[in-house]
Amino acid sequence: MPLNVTALVIFIALFVFITVLGFLAAHWRRGDLDILHEWGLAGGRFGTVVTWFLLGGDLYTAYTFIAVPALVFGAGAIGFFALPYTIVVYPIVFVVFPRLWSVAKRHRYITAADFVQGRFGNRWLALAIAVTGIVATMPYIALQLVGIQVVIAAMGIEFQGNWLLSDLPLIIAFVILAAYTYSSGLRAPAMIAIVKDILIWVTVIAAVVVIPIELGGYGKIFASVPQAKLILAAPPANGTGAYSAYATLALGSALALFLYPHSVTGVLSSDSRHVIRRNSALLPAYSFLLGLIALLGYMAIAAGVEKAPEFAAMFKQYSNSFAVPALILWAFPSWFAGIAFAAIAIGALVPAAIMSIAAANLYTRNVYRAFIAPVCSDRQEAQMAKLVSLVVKLGALFFIIFLPLKFAIQLQLLGGIWISQTIPAVIIGLYTRRLHHWALFIGWAAGILTGTGMAYASNFQSAVYPLHLAGYVIPSYAALYALALNIVVSVVLTPIFNVLGIAHGRDETSDGDYTSDEDRAMAVPGMAAASGAAGRR
Amino acid sequence: MHLKYRASYFSPKVWDELHRGKIMANGPHPAAGRPSVWWLLLLLPFIATLWVPFYNSIEPSWAGIPFFYWYQFLWILLGAIITAVVYFATEG
């Protein structure tokens, strides 16, 4: 690709702007950044609007913006499972996560593993939750870099045969990211998320207006998509086919999404449980955006970018991931392509920052403090988290530079299956602690092993596992099968452990903690019981 | 009455009160805040979007957009509206 100077200048200008913003963010809603709660959760002071931007920037990542249309471009309708996924996730968030917010606020939890520790009193179970979160997050961060890589290449920056020079822009971007995350904590991605989201909205709205005009309308776009890709294939007589795959991918992904550490960080940084409830109705705006972005995959088919000679080399290197950048170059003048590419690259930095902070919180609280240095000071704890956030990002960078891309993709696929196995301890734990903590631990292990085995059966190519039941084939997202086994094991082992007399751990939470508002969070223990008694009169 | 009581299982608030013993086996306690059927509405997006045969077709298409697509886009909007309705019905 020839060097696109106009696009590059605009891209760099926007990049410099958000870098300055990232460092300035340290002064925003000033707090003592030597305390983990301030660095890693911004003190839990974000209202409805900032939380909307933060979670929007956090969940709808650059990787999503590249990978979803790439899937639609290559495979068609199945790629649209992202829609039911992001439709059903919000009722779940609405019902479940205000409880996590309330109990976390009262007990100063900053991770899901903190909650599991407090609820079940078993630090090994908490460690399992923390390690699952960290391991699931690492490849996710690495994949964000792919978004940056693709758009940098699309602007024509290439150094044939010299990996150091080729990866230099990526390394620079990541060093900048690491520096402002270190100094400003969660405030930096929160502030940058606002810029990122505005750029993404502008880009997508322009794309869904301008490109269909150039292509002769939506009818023409859909007409150019091969019939076989347009809707899901009807299931065979002896199975549920693409139908169950589509529905279980959506449901399983929805159940898992808010268990990812970066989602928990976003939820817990809000300043009230009502903010989470409100955002459950407001965040679907991003789902709509995601649906429009998915349509870009079809627009790329209609525009015939794959056959354009100038893009051939790029498709060869990045395959379908180049569909969206190619479409942008095809449809827009250089200056707007610069804005669009900046939106994608900044869209990678925001979640990468939040993910590295979330992983650092987990390591510091549930590994370092729980197992290595139980008596560390608040200051030491925050310092450790800052260092770990650097290590995590460095790891992701090495991952992308030195390992084949397919490892990161396969690990991210496994990450979704693994993080789903924390559902019983975290989500069921928010409602009841009847399940025995060791039963939950063994259930978790069984789920991880089964889910990994199912992915292995497809040679890590697919997250969908075709379960054979008496000649009937039910393809389903492996995470759900593994989760079902996980829950069954937890439920069956609980009475056995109870009969054996293995003690339940200490529960430091009380029922009122799960529904409390922030202003009552500071009240003395026993207040909830007293107000309950008053209500009964 | 029976329906209302069962609906209450979807309300986290009622779950808590159940655990605290505020709701007795014979029904919700008068002062425990009426368990709300509103929460049941949240099941609609699941039924509408996870049962694929409802919408896996090209017709009825709209302005050249196959049913499969505009139906799911429509449910993003409906899902948000439903969540908002439940929010206002159960807040405060």
Side-chain angles (χ1 to χ4, degrees):
Chain A
M1 304 256 354
L3 190 65
N4 191 333
V5 179
T6 317
L8 191 60
V9 167
I10 295 202
F11 180 90
I12 291 174
L14 284 167
F15 222 85
V16 169
F17 174 61
I18 61 118
T19 303
V20 173
L21 215 54
F23 284 108
L24 287 179
H27 304 277
W28 185 29
R29 301 181 191 204
R30 188 102 220 198
D32 180 359
L33 289 170
D34 284 329
I35 297 171
L36 189 54
H37 190 256
E38 282 293 340
W39 180 83
L41 282 186
R45 280 199 290 268
F46 291 144
T48 304
V49 176
V50 177
T51 300
W52 185 78
F53 279 114
L54 180 71
L55 277 174
D58 187 18
L59 304 178
Y60 299 80
T61 69
Y63 177 63
T64 321
F65 291 162
I66 296 287
V68 169
L71 186 60
V72 169
F73 180 76
I78 188 86
F80 273 84
F81 86 84
L83 289 193
Y85 162 20
T86 52
I87 289 168
V88 299
V89 69
Y90 293 112
I92 298 172
V93 173
F94 183 82
V95 172
V96 174
F97 283 86
R99 293 176 68 84
L100 180 65
W101 184 91
S102 288
V103 72
K105 186 78 172 181
R106 184 162 287 192
H107 294 277
R108 306 276 287 180
Y109 299 148
I110 60 170
T111 68
D114 276 351
F115 160 68
V116 169
Q117 167 68 41
R119 179 64 149 170
F120 294 100
N122 180 337
R123 63 184 187 145
W124 295 100
L125 182 60
L127 180 70
I129 305 300
V131 170
T132 311
I134 294 169
V135 173
T137 302
M138 289 284 284
Y140 216 159
I141 301 173
L143 283 185
Q144 299 309 320
L145 298 180
V146 177
I148 303 181
Q149 249 181 344
V150 175
V151 298
I152 287 174
M155 286 184 294
I157 302 176
E158 289 175 286
F159 300 91
Q160 295 294 333
N162 188 329
W163 68 265
L164 184 65
L165 276 181
S166 303
D167 288 319
L168 196 59
L170 195 63
I171 295 171
I172 294 170
F174 240 49
V175 168
I176 293 171
L177 167 73
Y180 63 64
T181 310
Y182 184 95
S183 78
S184 305
L186 192 65
R187 285 170 173 79
M191 201 173 238
I192 295 169
I194 298 174
V195 178
K196 171 247 169 180
D197 289 346
I198 292 171
L199 291 175
I200 287 278
W201 280 104
V202 168
T203 304
V204 173
I205 290 170
V208 298
V209 172
V210 172
I211 299 175
I213 292 173
E214 294 182 30
L215 291 171
Y218 278 97
K220 282 245 172 66
I221 292 169
F222 280 105
S224 68
V225 176
Q227 281 292 311
K229 286 184 182 175
L230 210 48
I231 56 172
L232 300 172
N238 66 335
T240 51
Y243 285 15
S244 59
Y246 192 83
T248 54
L249 276 170
L251 180 63
S253 310
L255 286 171
L257 179 62
F258 272 75
L259 288 166
Y260 271 104
H262 59 284
S263 315
V264 172
T265 297
V267 164
L268 297 187
S269 67
S270 64
D271 71 358
S272 99
R273 71 198 322 264
H274 305 282
V275 167
I276 301 158
R277 283 164 53 90
R278 269 176 228 134
N279 266 299
S280 303
L282 296 173
L283 281 167
Y286 285 99
S287 306
F288 204 84
L289 184 77
L290 178 63
L292 297 177
I293 289 171
L295 285 178
L296 297 182
Y298 284 159
M299 295 181 197
I301 293 177
V305 289
E306 202 173 15
K307 290 172 204 83
E310 68 266 36
F311 299 138
M314 283 299 174
F315 270 106
K316 196 156 178 270
Q317 188 172 354
Y318 295 103
S319 74
N320 293 343
S321 295
F322 196 66
V324 165
L327 183 70
I328 288 169
L329 288 170
W330 175 87
F332 293 117
S334 293
W335 66 270
F336 196 82
I339 292 177
F341 290 154
I344 293 173
I346 298 168
L349 295 184
V350 170
I354 303 172
M355 286 168 190
S356 70
I357 289 169
N361 289 347
L362 277 170
Y363 175 80
T364 308
R365 267 294 169 89
N366 310 109
V367 181
Y368 178 70
R369 195 158 198 171
F371 287 90
I372 298 168
V375 289
C376 71
S377 69
D378 284 351
R379 204 186 156 82
Q380 283 169 319
E381 189 185 49
Q383 195 54 41
M384 175 53 70
K386 292 177 186 180
L387 282 176
V388 173
S389 83
L390 293 183
V391 173
V392 167
K393 277 191 283 270
L394 214 59
L397 193 59
F398 276 100
F399 214 112
I400 281 299
I401 293 179
F402 293 111
L403 294 175
L405 178 59
K406 69 169 198 279
F407 283 172
I409 293 173
Q410 291 171 355
L411 269 175
Q412 202 263 343
L413 185 144
L414 280 172
I417 296 172
W418 291 338
I419 201 76
S420 304
Q421 307 316 315
T422 64
I423 287 172
V426 180
I427 293 190
I428 300 178
L430 283 169
Y431 289 91
T432 173
R433 63 188 303 273
R434 288 213 188 104
L435 293 175
H436 196 280
H437 53 93
W438 286 117
L440 284 168
F441 187 89
I442 296 170
W444 165 84
I448 297 268
L449 286 175
T450 311
T452 309
M454 286 177 167
Y456 177 73
S458 77
N459 212 4
F460 302 112
Q461 297 303 304
S462 167
V464 176
Y465 181 78
L467 189 71
H468 292 257
L469 272 180
Y472 204 73
V473 187
I474 310 170
S476 160
Y477 185 24
L480 277 192
Y481 282 142
L483 176 62
L485 179 77
N486 180 343
I487 292 173
V488 167
V489 168
S490 303
V491 168
V492 168
L493 287 182
T494 292
I496 296 176
F497 287 157
N498 287 341
V499 168
L500 290 177
I502 302 169
H504 280 261
R506 197 179 75 86
D507 180 8
E508 65 180 25
T509 70
S510 61
D511 288 345
D513 294 351
Y514 293 86
T515 49
S516 75
D517 273 332
E518 69 271 40
D519 44 335
R520 274 184 277 141
M522 296 300 148
V524 285
M527 254 309 260
S531 66
R536 215 176 294 183
R537 232 174 281 135
Chain B
M1 196 63 212
H2 189 63
L3 174 74
K4 277 192 174 174
Y5 180 56
R6 289 209 296 186
S8 70
Y9 281 95
F10 294 97
S11 156
K13 188 174 169 221
V14 173
W15 265 98
D16 260 343
E17 287 166 349
L18 229 155
H19 289 161
R20 253 188 275 150
K22 280 179 83 174
I23 299 171
M24 302 306 154
N26 56 358
H29 192 276
R34 292 269 164 212
S36 172
V37 286
W38 290 105
W39 294 91
L40 273 179
L41 282 179
L42 296 176
L43 289 176
L44 290 177
F46 288 83
I47 299 165
T49 63
L50 295 181
W51 188 251
V52 181
F54 281 162
Y55 57 87
N56 189 43
S57 63
I58 292 176
E59 297 299 334
S61 64
W62 175 69
I65 302 171
F67 184 60
F68 182 80
Y69 299 93
W70 68 258
Y71 175 89
Q72 294 187 76
F73 271 96
L74 182 65
W75 266 101
I76 298 173
L77 190 67
L78 293 177
I81 291 171
I82 288 170
T83 311
V85 166
V86 179
Y87 169 82
F88 286 112
T90 58
E91 186 79 352

